[in-house]
Amino acid sequence: MKFGIHLSTMVHAWSDDHFAPMERLKAMGYDGVEFPLMDPENFDLMRAKSELKRLNLLATCGTGLLPHADITSKDPVVHKAGVDRLLRCLQIAHELESDLLGGVLYAPWGVTRPRMEIIEGKKRSQETLRQLAEKAKAYGVKMGLEMINRYETSYLNHTEDAAEWMAAINDPMIGIHYDTFHANIEETNQKEAILSLGQHLFHVHFCENNRGIPGTGQVDFSSVAEGLKEIGYDRWLTLENFALADCQIGNDCAIWNSKTQDPYQAAEQGLQYAKKIWEETK
Ligand code: LER
Ligand code: MN
């Protein structure tokens, strides 16, 4: 198992310097960091490469689509902008030797619509992802579609949706990205949810029910770890705290009252907890 951390734990805005915390995170014992590619056109690829190399850290990458860059859209301009955004993110992930691009890759993040209205858009998204899988394969970057809760998307909330998406796309380069925070809202039982995903599971965000430090809230991480061990998952456990309230990222993730004042303490305590749970679980 590799232990990672989402770099937005430490910063206020998606455009802030995400590189500065990396040295401290390496010293804590993280194997890698997750780069949020929210502005892929302005991502400092050279700096990312050199910092990863200097610190001997691995990378994963994540992004989300936007209302004006959206592969569910029937507007060709908006649809193309969505495809271009995903292609750019795949290219960055490839350059960083990240074998994964996760996140909300299938629809605009934070937008909900009645499910009756998304049928066509869902088909368009699935068809587009199937086409993009070829590029993902050429780059050696798997795409993990993050199941997020009902208040952040209408497209892909839980494992029943995941089964439908996986059957429709049916490509080994495209799988599911699981987040314990979202699953805590959407699933009945986290272990069973993970078992049902099986080999489709490509990535995990390890996160408490209130986005606080893992182990301080209600998520049953032992059940999560049992499920992961049972399916032979051996990729990433990536901490995603979004510790800071009242900032751009806090606003985007609806963190109005942070349970974690010190993101570095969250990173350290969260990592120790994740490792302990992983080691204790048979
Ligand atoms: C959003 O709620 C989330 O969990 C992040 O991983 C963004 O994709
Ligand atoms: Mn997540």
Side-chain angles (χ1 to χ4, degrees), residues 23-235:
E23 188 151 3
R24 225 167 136 181
L25 296 169
K26 169 72 184 180
M28 280 180 200
Y30 280 101
D31 301 305
V33 293
E34 184 150 321
F35 290 100
L37 304 178
M38 295 302 280
D39 185 8
E41 293 312 318
N42 292 306
F43 183 74
D44 190 345
L45 187 55
M46 287 306 128
R47 179 129 183 251
K49 273 183 165 183
S50 73
E51 284 299 277
L52 288 169
K53 193 165 176 210
R54 182 176 76 83
L55 297 167
N56 191 25
L57 278 167
L58 300 169
T60 55
C61 294
T63 192
L65 294 180
L66 305 168
H68 62 270
D70 171 12
I71 60 171
T72 72
S73 176
K74 63 175 183 234
D75 177 335
V77 175
V78 174
H79 185 271
K80 182 176 182 304
V83 170
D84 289 347
R85 183 175 174 85
L86 291 174
L87 284 173
R88 177 70 185 137
C89 290
L90 283 171
Q91 188 194 4
I92 292 172
H94 169 73
E95 294 272 348
L96 298 181
E97 294 177 39
S98 156
D99 76 346
L100 177 100
L101 176 66
V104 191
L105 310 180
Y106 48 87
W109 177 33
V111 178
T112 57
R113 293 193 199 112
R115 280 216 166 181
M116 296 81 78
E117 291 175 18
I118 65 168
I119 295 167
E120 287 305 311
K122 188 160 72 174
K123 279 197 198 129
R124 240 184 322 271
S125 175
Q126 291 166 347
E127 178 57 34
T128 308
L129 287 165
R130 204 178 309 120
Q131 287 163 12
L132 281 168
E134 220 172 285
K135 200 75 188 171
K137 189 170 181 192
Y139 279 137
V141 179
K142 287 178 186 284
M143 299 176 81
L145 314 183
E146 185 170 15
M147 301 188 297
I148 60 174
N149 75 74
R150 62 191 72 182
Y151 306 108
E152 296 183 28
T153 189
S154 332
Y155 285 83
L156 178 50
N157 300 130
H158 45 62
T159 42
E160 282 163 49
D161 293 336
E164 186 194 320
W165 278 75
M166 291 299 94
I169 298 172
N170 191 23
D171 190 290
M173 291 309 291
I174 301 194
I176 294 294
H177 166 176
Y178 187 90
D179 181 319
T180 55
F181 162 80
H182 297 291
N184 178 67
I185 296 171
E186 296 295 340
E187 306 295 341
T188 308
N189 176 293
Q190 298 233 16
K191 179 176 175 181
E192 279 169 21
I194 290 166
L195 293 182
S196 87
L197 293 172
Q199 297 314 302
H200 293 300
L201 181 57
F202 284 5
H203 195 48
V204 176
H205 278 170
F206 206 65
C207 189
E208 197 46 273
N209 66 293
N210 56 3
R211 301 270 202 197
I213 306 171
T216 61
Q218 302 189 56
V219 172
D220 182 355
F221 286 107
S222 296
S223 144
V224 171
E226 281 170 26
L228 294 175
K229 291 221 167 167
E230 213 163 307
I231 63 168
Y233 179 86
D234 194 24
R235 292 176 58 86

